[in-house]
Amino acid sequence: MKHIVSGIQPTGSLNIGTYLGSIKNFVKLQESYQDHHFFLFIADLHAITIPRDRLELRKTIKEVAALYLACGLKKDNLSLFIQSEVEAHSQMSYLLQCFTYIGELERMTQFKEKAQKQETGVTSGLFTYPTLMAGDILLYDAEYVPVGDDQKQHLELTRDIAIRVNNRFGDFFTVPKPLIPKVGARIMSLTEPTKKMSKSDTFVKSRILLLDDENIIRKRIMSAVTDTDGIIKFDPKNKPGISNLLTIMSAITNTSIEQLVTTYQNTDYKTFKEAVADCVVAELKPIKEKYSTIINSGELDAFLDKGKADANRVARKKIAKFNHKIGLGRKQK
Ligand code: AQP
């Protein structure tokens, strides 16, 4: 069976950026790729590339896992697991570092941005993050990897590494292809709409969390930064705030941006923002309800245990073959 792989870092409570750029897309993909098996994981090894409070991290791992399920993923063709519970991810990351050039890692935009933000030392874990991500994908021979816009460069590097290994040792890794959502691949900050909405943005008003109360959601959208010309049109360069709200509404309602512009072009910003707030509130309400049932049940741990076993089965086999392929250890009969 073919595989689709993706992960989310437990670096903070999930917001609508991650939801629209990634989880909502998985739900749709489960429908359109019923013949594929989905390996989705909570990328806790990625999260520690930047110092974290350990208790906060543990709490967020569980919250992200529960939110994955609360957002409507079907369990049939899904293995949901915690990355650090499958040791082959760390092992593969090291092996792939031996097939990756420093220059390639230095070119990664996300590394450059995150390193710039770091006030204390930049860890080598942050630098080699892309090889961990490459391992996450190549371990499962993923055919497709659903990613937001910001992860495209890392996936490109994963492909280069896979091709390099294949050229040297014969076809060994499946070269993965990205699946990028048409709308929602880059949801922007509500306070600085030229920047991506991010879990770790220090400005809490920049985002809407999936678990935010209704009145907070409404307040955040009503106070979202826009412009003063009063025209509702999609123009990310000159009108990033309004374009971002149109994108959010389009991704939630599955209505094209052109259609939304036609519907709202003769209204004012207040009316338009109220409509955006209504649709975000309606989208998140059932997720919050399901979340509170799941987080307080034994269902989550049982499903994560099953996911861990599934993932270990596939990943251990692949790493053993890879060790052998590149000449490590003793020759097995
Ligand atoms: N704002 C966004 N718009 C669209 N897609 C997004 N994704 C994240 N933010 C947006 C997509 O969600 C998936 C999981 O992301 P991640 O948590 O692994 O890493 P990230 O992209 O680094 O997310 P953050 O929120 O910016 O985390 P921090 O602040 O910790 O770095 C990915 O497919 C991502 O593209």
Side-chain angles (χ1 to χ4, degrees):
M1 187 178 247
K2 290 182 175 171
H3 296 161
I4 292 183
V5 173
S6 196
I8 295 179
Q9 294 184 73
T11 43
S13 204
L14 294 189
N15 60 57
I16 56 165
T18 316
Y19 172 66
L20 296 175
S22 139
I23 306 182
K24 193 172 165 74
N25 196 28
F26 299 154
V27 176
K28 285 192 205 148
L29 292 174
Q30 272 194 312
E31 282 302 313
S32 27
Y33 290 88
Q34 291 189 14
D35 56 337
H36 283 60
H37 189 81
F38 286 67
F39 285 98
L40 301 183
F41 61 93
I42 295 95
D44 56 350
L45 293 172
H46 285 280
I48 60 162
T49 51
I50 285 175
R52 308 268 163 212
D53 175 88
R54 74 190 178 94
L55 297 179
E56 195 56 37
L57 175 61
R58 204 167 287 147
K59 183 171 155 269
T60 313
I61 289 171
K62 202 84 186 265
E63 181 185 309
V64 173
L67 274 169
Y68 259 117
L69 294 182
C71 288
L73 283 165
K74 291 207 190 71
K75 288 176 165 180
D76 319 347
N77 56 343
L78 168 68
S79 298
L80 179 66
F81 66 96
I82 297 169
Q83 185 189 28
S84 62
E85 294 183 0
V86 181
E87 295 82 6
H89 286 250
S90 321
Q91 297 165 8
M92 190 57 116
S93 173
Y94 170 71
L95 297 179
L96 295 182
Q97 280 170 42
C98 301
F99 293 88
T100 308
Y101 300 110
I102 287 180
E104 290 176 309
L105 296 173
E106 280 172 342
R107 276 198 293 279
M108 295 294 113
T109 314
Q110 202 175 69
F111 168 71
K112 287 194 263 186
E113 283 173 4
K114 288 195 174 177
Q116 235 170 31
K117 276 197 231 155
Q118 283 282 92
E119 284 156 14
T120 54
V122 175
T123 66
S124 50
L126 186 64
F127 185 59
T128 55
Y129 173 117
T131 61
L132 179 59
M133 176 165 160
D136 299 336
I137 298 165
L138 300 179
L139 270 176
Y140 300 90
D141 280 313
E143 191 190 6
Y144 293 114
V145 182
V147 284
D149 225 17
D150 56 330
Q151 295 294 342
K152 260 179 12 193
Q153 196 188 24
H154 290 159
L155 193 68
E156 215 28 71
L157 178 60
T158 302
R159 289 171 53 86
D160 290 346
I161 297 171
I163 292 168
R164 188 169 302 149
V165 169
N166 289 351
N167 284 342
R168 202 160 141 200
F169 297 100
D171 274 353
F172 184 74
F173 288 128
T174 300
V175 181
K177 298 186 256 312
L179 278 176
I180 298 173
K182 286 198 186 73
V183 184
R186 200 169 173 81
I187 301 296
M188 310 308 271
S189 151
L190 296 178
T191 46
E192 277 179 84
T194 48
K195 258 176 57 183
K196 189 186 88 154
M197 185 182 285
S198 225
K199 294 188 227 78
S200 56
D201 193 321
T202 45
F203 210 35
V204 291
K205 290 186 178 167
S206 63
R207 56 184 172 259
I208 292 170
L209 303 181
L210 300 187
L211 299 175
D212 269 341
D213 285 338
E214 175 174 344
N215 61 334
I216 304 254
I217 299 175
R218 291 191 185 278
K219 259 195 217 152
R220 298 267 195 273
I221 292 179
M222 296 314 286
S223 62
V225 168
T226 49
D227 50 62
T228 50
D229 73 10
I231 300 166
I232 293 175
K233 77 170 188 193
F234 189 72
D235 178 355
K237 190 156 179 275
N238 300 307
K239 296 173 68 65
I242 288 292
S243 304
N244 190 34
L245 294 178
L246 281 165
T247 303
I248 291 172
M249 198 176 196
S250 168
I252 288 180
T253 59
N254 292 320
T255 311
S256 71
I257 288 180
E258 297 75 53
Q259 177 66 50
L260 292 176
V261 170
T262 311
T263 308
Y264 291 100
Q265 62 191 353
N266 295 322
T267 61
D268 55 23
Y269 284 1
K270 182 169 175 285
T271 313
F272 171 59
K273 282 179 164 180
E274 280 167 356
V276 177
D278 285 345
C279 88
V280 175
V281 167
E283 178 83 358
L284 299 189
K285 192 166 177 270
I287 294 176
K288 271 190 287 190
E289 286 167 1
K290 262 201 201 158
Y291 172 82
S292 52
T293 316
I294 293 170
I295 197 85
N296 295 317
S297 75
E299 175 195 345
L300 182 60
D301 275 321
F303 196 61
L304 288 172
D305 285 344
K306 182 200 156 285
K308 174 182 166 182
D310 294 345
N312 267 311
R313 210 167 27 248
V314 176
R316 281 185 186 145
K317 219 188 247 173
K318 191 75 186 175
I319 198 99
K321 277 193 187 163
F322 192 45
N323 279 338
H324 179 68
K325 190 88 181 164
I326 61 179
L328 297 180
R330 281 175 294 160
K331 187 164 165 45
Q332 310 273 333
K333 290 238 160 136

